[in-house]
Amino acid sequence: MFFMGTYTPKLDEKGRLFLPAKFRERLAEGVVVTQGQENCLVVWPEDVFMTEAQRAQQTPLTSRGARDYARVLFAGAEQSSPDKQGRIVIPPLLRAYAGITKDVVVIGVMDRIEIWEPDRWTEYSTGAQAKFAELDED
């Protein structure tokens, strides 16, 4: 199953996010939430995160980029399971990193989902869409 689509749920007062209904079955076994690039958050199904972790583990410690990637990926990672209502807690550290308070944009990105602060998503998406429109393979 690929995650796809754009959703606009809200965080509740305890920092919990209602996962989009279409995503809940795939995420029911557990998730890992961590920092993503461009200041978004990434929600991985636990098994996909473990595959990514194994891939990161295969890179040599002598590679600065590999060390940096592993540090950022794991330092902010939070493992959890959705509750019976399909909610996950977004820890304060990760909310601060992503600049999210209440309103969020959740997007499906193939094997993971991303959580964005709405203004950041609009800014990023506008630029990405302009680049997408200009793609041209020779």
Side-chain angles (χ1 to χ4, degrees):
M1 170 198 169
F2 279 141
F3 295 107
M4 58 184 92
T6 302
Y7 305 87
T8 54
K10 296 182 185 307
L11 294 182
D12 68 13
E13 65 282 348
K14 295 181 181 179
R16 295 177 297 195
L17 171 71
F18 278 98
L19 294 168
K22 289 182 178 182
F23 299 166
R24 291 180 191 169
E25 184 177 338
R26 176 66 177 99
L27 300 173
E29 297 299 315
V31 301
V32 176
V33 183
T34 192
Q35 297 173 356
Q37 294 168 301
E38 291 87 30
N39 289 94
C40 72
L41 300 179
V42 179
V43 180
W44 305 82
E46 195 171 304
D47 62 318
V48 175
F49 180 82
M50 293 308 164
T51 300
E52 182 67 16
Q54 290 170 349
R55 190 182 69 76
Q57 193 175 30
Q58 300 303 313
T59 59
L61 289 176
T62 55
S63 167
R64 182 178 183 91
R67 290 192 312 271
D68 290 345
Y69 176 73
R71 288 174 181 144
V72 172
L73 183 68
F74 286 93
E78 182 76 24
Q79 190 174 12
S80 69
S81 293
D83 67 13
K84 291 180 182 181
Q85 294 180 312
R87 298 176 298 193
I88 58 170
V89 174
I90 308 298
L93 181 69
L94 291 176
R95 291 195 310 258
Y97 168 79
I100 58 176
T101 53
K102 184 173 185 163
D103 294 325
V104 298
V105 175
V106 174
I107 63 169
V109 188
M110 295 184 290
D111 62 348
R112 63 194 181 278
I113 65 174
E114 293 179 350
I115 303 169
W116 288 78
E117 189 279 329
D119 291 336
R120 285 184 181 167
W121 170 248
T122 299
E123 182 180 338
Y124 172 80
S125 179
T126 299
Q129 288 173 1
K131 289 176 187 174
F132 180 76
E134 297 298 320
L135 287 177
D136 185 21
E137 295 283 330
D138 290 329

